Amino acid sequence: INDAAGQAIALTTIESGCDTWWPGNENPNNAIDGTTSKFLCAETKTASPTVTFASSSVGSYSLQKANSDGDTPTSWSFSCDGVPLGREVNVNPPSTDWAWYDTYAASRQEFTSCTFHFTNNGGGVHVAIGELRINDAAGQ
């Protein structure tokens, strides 16, 4: 996340939103660590990670495809502080591992936490996420 001046605002925490478990090296923090490591929510086709950050005006969001083709999210909803801001259904994910999905517009209101609810409509039985990105109202 970046502020209006373009300075980075870190995603400070993440709660998994997994109904089950994840492998130790594929934990929720991997979705906000800025590296090509993945968060894998195992044995379920849904995940609802919540990220928190310093108050910022949320303008858009995106996610990065992990290296797990059958476990890639294809539908999701996005809300911040309980306010619904977006819903995507049957999205074609990037074909390349670690590539970013499109950027999706959101509200331009101030928030301190956002929740994604991902659904895997593909052939896998897990949900795998590379990185989550939230941009401020200036698109940074």
Side-chain angles (χ1 to χ4, degrees):
I1 299 175
N2 296 309
D3 66 15
Q7 301 300 310
I9 296 175
L11 298 178
T12 54
T13 63
I14 183 168
E15 294 178 21
S16 77
C18 272
D19 292 333
T20 58
W21 61 277
W22 55 86
N25 63 335
E26 296 178 335
N27 64 74
N29 287 324
N30 290 350
I32 62 171
D33 68 357
T35 69
T36 53
S37 58
K38 72 181 170 194
F39 164 38
L40 179 72
C41 195
E43 296 182 2
T44 183
K45 286 184 161 247
T46 63
S48 299
T50 298
V51 294
T52 58
F53 46 89
S55 181
S56 182
S57 179
V58 175
S60 62
Y61 67 92
S62 188
L63 61 141
Q64 184 185 50
K65 180 183 180 287
N67 62 342
S68 192
D69 285 334
D71 301 324
T72 300
T74 54
S75 298
W76 60 83
S77 61
F78 177 71
S79 62
C80 294
D81 292 341
V83 177
L85 299 178
R87 178 174 164 75
E88 301 295 330
V89 179
N90 296 324
V91 173
N92 288 323
S95 58
T96 306
D97 292 346
W98 311 118
W100 287 90
Y101 285 68
D102 291 335
T103 298
Y104 300 90
S107 171
R108 298 187 180 278
Q109 301 172 30
E110 293 283 325
F111 297 106
T112 57
S113 71
C114 295
T115 300
F116 294 85
H117 179 78
F118 295 112
T119 303
N120 171 5
N121 295 330
V125 294
H126 313 298
V127 174
I129 302 157
E131 288 287 311
L132 301 174
R133 178 187 296 161
I134 300 173
N135 299 312
D136 71 2
Q140 304 296 312

